[in-house]
Amino acid sequence: MPGKSSTIGNSHWSRRGFLKSTGIATTTTVLGIAPAWHLTYAAALTKAKREKLTPDDVIALMKKGNERFSRGKESPHDYLAQQKTSAKGQYPAAVILSCIDSRAPAETIMDLGIGDCFNARVAGNITNDDILGSMEFACKLAGAKVVLVMGHTACGAIKGAIDNAQLGNLTGLLAKIRPAVEATQYQGERSATNYGFVDAVARKNVELTMVDIHRRSPVLAELETSGAIKIAGAMYNLETGRVDFFA
Ligand SMILES: [Zn+2]
């Protein structure tokens, strides 16, 4: 659909890449009229577009989206158009589990639009039965191809777990992060004021959450074994704006 309703769904999410897949983008770039990121994006991700993507393609596109964000070259989303085109159906490519931190909104920092991904947010991006059920819905029933667990630097929940903070229902949540605190190998001060340690625990917490997903969700584990999905981890750096994908 070159030149028409080109969205993150119809362009950035295209397997061949944005510049190659959208005629208008190539044309305008060649003519020097406007850089690709100045195009307007309209429609949401379609089923046909998503079906062409492999799990690795989806991860690559999220990386590219973060590159655009971190360079200040985000897509000029037409959210109303995305809202209208996705109202009758959604075909998200990924389900993201990330922290509630106000500075780490997954869609924004990976330059995603409405309908591009499911997003579960909970302090410290830990999992539980309800989140696992949500992920199983997202992948098995709704067709998402990537489960991304994304932690971030300077995470308050991680600091709270390190400090054994106690507060109402938060106590139980932080207990789920404690195994990551114990499992983190770190040379240096193991305290919540040492950001090197805090970030090392945050990364370990992502790794353990991924293990947890495998262990506690046969549905997702089987989808990954068959190659239908990929379970990936990432850390978002609040200072640099960059998402570091791993595993
Ligand atoms: Zn956090």
Side-chain angles (χ1 to χ4, degrees), residues 209-224:
T209 300
M210 291 165 66
V211 170
D212 218 31
I213 292 169
H214 276 278
R215 187 171 57 81
R216 294 174 58 197
S217 174
V219 171
L220 294 172
E222 190 180 309
L223 284 172
E224 185 168 54

Side-chain angles (χ1 to χ4, degrees), residues 87-127:
K88 296 229 171 359
Q90 61 171 338
Y91 306 98
V95 52
I96 300 169
L97 170 59
S98 57
C99 184
I100 61 168
D101 195 294
S102 67
R103 303 162 295 178
E107 285 97 332
T108 304
I109 65 175
M110 287 188 277
D111 196 19
L112 303 173
I114 292 172
D116 283 342
C117 69
F118 292 101
N119 191 356
R121 294 182 73 167
V122 60
N125 40 272
I126 49 89
T127 194

Side-chain angles (χ1 to χ4, degrees), residues 163-184:
D163 278 344
N164 270 317
Q166 310 278 310
L167 173 69
N169 291 290
L170 181 61
T171 304
L173 191 160
L174 297 183
K176 294 183 171 149
I177 301 175
R178 281 299 305 176
V181 179
E182 310 299 338
T184 300

Side-chain angles (χ1 to χ4, degrees), residues 2 11 14-26 29 64:
S11 54
S14 159
R15 190 173 189 173
R16 289 190 303 151
F18 175 48
L19 288 173
K20 288 177 185 166
S21 66
T22 51
I24 192 169
T26 305
T29 303
K64 281 183 184 155

